[in-house]
Amino acid sequence: MSTPLKETVGRYGIWSVGLRSEDPDRRGELAEAAAELEELGYGALWLGGNSSAAHAAPLIEATSKLTVGTSIQSIWQHEPDAAATAFADLESAHPGRFLLGLGVSHAKRVEQYARPYSALVEHLDGLDAAGVPADRRLLAALGPKSLRLARDRAAGSIPYLVTPEHTAHAREILGEAPLLAPELGVVPETDPARARALAREFLEIYLPLPNYTNNFLRHGFTEDDLVDGGSDRLVDALFAWGDDAAIRTKVDAFFEAGADHVALQVLTGEPRDALPRKAWRDLASVLA
C-alpha cells in the first residue's frame, strides 16, 4: 500500500527557483543542497518557474525519500503526452517521488493565453488519456472554480502568494481529503523597514499580474493595497518576517487555517536563483 500523500510530503517543504537550474555546472551544487535539505527534515522540494520532470530528476536521484514537485509546469509549454512520458519515466525509476504541479501561468507571460480554465480542463483530459494519475498531480489553484477543479481532478492545490485567510477559504472548497500546500515567503529579517523592503522587491514582479491581484481583492484587500509596491497590510499578510517566534507564528497560522503542508520560499535579498542554504538551516531550527 502506498503512503498517503500528506504523509509523504510532511509538514514543511522548500520552494526554490534556484533548485531548478539548467546549468550543468551547478548539478553537483544542487544535488548537495537537496541532500542537505532532506537531512534537515524538509519533506518536499518545490521547483519554481516553468519546471518539469527533467528538473526534478537530479534532485530525486541525489536524495533517498524527498518528494519533488513542479510549482508549476505551465500547461501552455508542455503538451500532455510529453508530460505523461516524462512522468512515467521518472515514476519507473523512482516510484512515488515526483508530483506534477500544474498551472495556467499569466496572460502577460504567455502569447497563446486564452480561456485558461477551459485550457486547463482540456490539459487534464489529455493527462488522463495519457495515464498520469489524478492523485499524483496538483493544481496551482487560487479562485473558486480552479479550487473545485483541484478537488475533483487532482490530488489538491499548491496556491502561490496567498494568505491564511485564502487557505481557510481553499480548505472549505477542497474538503478534508485533498492536499492543500500553500507557498509562503519567509524574510529572515527583524528590522521592519528592511523586511518589508525585501518583500516588496520580491512582490514587484507579481503585482502587475491580475491572477494574483484579483485574488487579493477577493479576500478583503483594496486597490490602495496594491500600489507603491504593496501596503504594509498586504506585505504583512503575505510574508513571514521578524524574529524566530514571529516567523513560526506566521507559518503556524497557515496550518491553523487548514494547510497540510507549507512550501517555504526564503527571501534574503540574493538573486532569485541563489541557494540560501544557511537560511534554510536556520529555518529548519525554527520549525523543529
Side-chain angles (χ1 to χ4, degrees):
M1 179 180 295
S2 62
T3 304
L5 182 56
K6 293 180 183 181
E7 294 182 23
T8 299
V9 300
R11 284 174 65 83
Y12 307 109
I14 288 294
W15 196 106
S16 170
V17 171
L19 286 169
R20 69 171 290 279
S21 175
E22 297 177 4
D23 182 352
D25 291 337
R26 296 190 67 194
R27 189 176 180 116
E29 177 191 13
L30 299 186
E32 184 181 286
E36 182 181 20
L37 288 169
E38 180 175 62
E39 186 177 338
L40 288 170
Y42 295 106
L45 305 182
W46 303 95
L47 305 184
N50 177 27
S51 47
S52 68
H55 297 111
L59 305 179
I60 291 174
E61 292 165 2
T63 54
S64 61
K65 61 182 180 180
L66 264 182
T67 298
V68 182
T70 54
S71 183
I72 48 91
Q73 180 169 290
S74 170
I75 66 167
W76 310 104
Q77 298 180 40
H78 297 267
E79 293 295 329
D81 286 347
T85 298
F87 175 90
D89 289 346
L90 192 50
E91 179 66 11
S92 176
H94 303 280
R97 303 271 312 276
F98 175 64
L99 291 172
L100 182 59
L102 302 164
V104 298
S105 189
H106 305 274
K108 293 185 177 183
R109 296 183 178 179
V110 178
E111 185 177 347
Q112 68 269 41
Y113 195 94
R115 301 174 62 243
Y117 180 82
S118 297
L120 180 55
V121 171
E122 292 171 6
H123 193 87
L124 293 173
D125 291 342
L127 292 175
D128 285 343
V132 178
D135 64 1
R136 299 292 300 287
R137 62 198 192 203
L138 297 160
L139 304 185
L142 292 175
K145 284 179 64 178
S146 295
L147 284 164
R148 287 191 288 270
L149 194 64
R151 176 193 66 199
D152 299 338
R153 301 286 306 274
S157 177
I158 46 171
Y160 186 85
L161 207 61
V162 294
T163 64
E165 289 74 20
H166 179 274
T167 296
H169 172 73
R171 176 53 72 197
E172 184 176 347
I173 292 175
L174 289 171
E176 183 177 347
L179 179 74
L180 179 54
E183 175 271 348
L184 171 63
V186 176
V187 185
E189 174 60 62
T190 57
D191 177 73
R194 173 66 176 160
R196 290 181 176 131
L198 287 171
R200 288 189 176 97
E201 180 181 326
F202 172 82
L203 194 57
E204 183 179 10
I205 66 172
Y206 298 107
L207 286 179
L209 301 175
N211 290 11
Y212 293 122
T213 54
N214 288 341
N215 192 53
F216 300 152
L217 296 174
R218 277 194 298 266
H219 289 277
F221 295 98
T222 69
E223 295 287 353
D224 289 342
D225 289 305
L226 308 180
V227 299
D228 298 326
S231 67
D232 285 356
R233 184 169 81 110
L234 180 66
V235 167
D236 293 350
L238 291 173
F239 299 91
W241 63 267
D243 60 18
D244 291 352
I247 289 173
R248 181 61 187 260
T249 296
K250 185 70 172 186
V251 174
D252 287 346
F254 281 82
F255 289 111
E256 292 164 5
D260 301 300
H261 172 96
V262 179
L264 300 156
Q265 181 174 190
V266 177
L267 310 172
T268 60
E270 298 173 273
R272 283 174 58 84
D273 63 351
L275 302 179
R277 293 178 62 177
K278 180 182 183 303
W280 288 343
R281 294 181 201 118
D282 293 342
L283 181 58
S285 297
V286 172
L287 301 173

